Every structure is written in structure tokens, then in C-alpha cells.
Amino acid sequence: MKIRFDWMQLVRLLVMVVAVAAVIYALEYLPASPLMWISVGVLILGFVMMLFAFRVAQRQQAARGKEASRTKRTKRS
């Protein structure tokens, strides 16, 4: 079984880690103001959307793998 490595998945994962670190930094060190809370909200929204994109990409990759194995089985028959 060949495992295909997707660089974009790694980039998404790194950006999610940076987003979490930015939220923690903002909550810890920035003065509490409406602008700070808006910034934290945008970072959290971006994190959730990237997580969603990560899951969608995983599901698409799994579907492609199932389709490829299905076509190999039908060709053998």
C-alpha cells in the first residue's frame, strides 16, 4: 500500500498550530479591548475553518483511495 504525502495537509496543520498560539498570546498579553476580542474571534473562526478544510481533504483522499481500489478489483475480474 503506497501512502501519498500531501504537503498542503502539513501546511494546514502548521497554520492551525500557529493560530492556536496566536489566540493564547492575544488572551494572555494584549489589553482587553473590543479590537482584541474581534481579533481573537477571527483567529478562532479561521482555525475552525482550517480544521474543516483538513477534514474535507482527508475524506476526499479516503474516497479516492476507495475508488482506486474498487477499479483495481473490477479490472481483475
Side-chain angles (χ1 to χ4, degrees), residues 35-75:
L35 181 61
M36 189 272 302
W37 287 110
I38 291 170
S39 301
V40 168
V42 168
L43 284 170
I44 291 172
L45 180 65
F47 175 77
V48 170
M49 294 305 293
M50 292 208 56
L51 185 61
F52 178 72
F54 187 76
R55 293 293 301 151
V56 167
Q58 281 184 332
R59 288 179 182 166
Q60 286 176 347
Q61 191 172 8
R64 274 189 244 124
K66 286 181 183 178
E67 183 64 32
S69 66
R70 187 178 303 140
T71 56
K72 284 183 182 178
R73 276 190 250 147
T74 57
K75 287 181 181 179

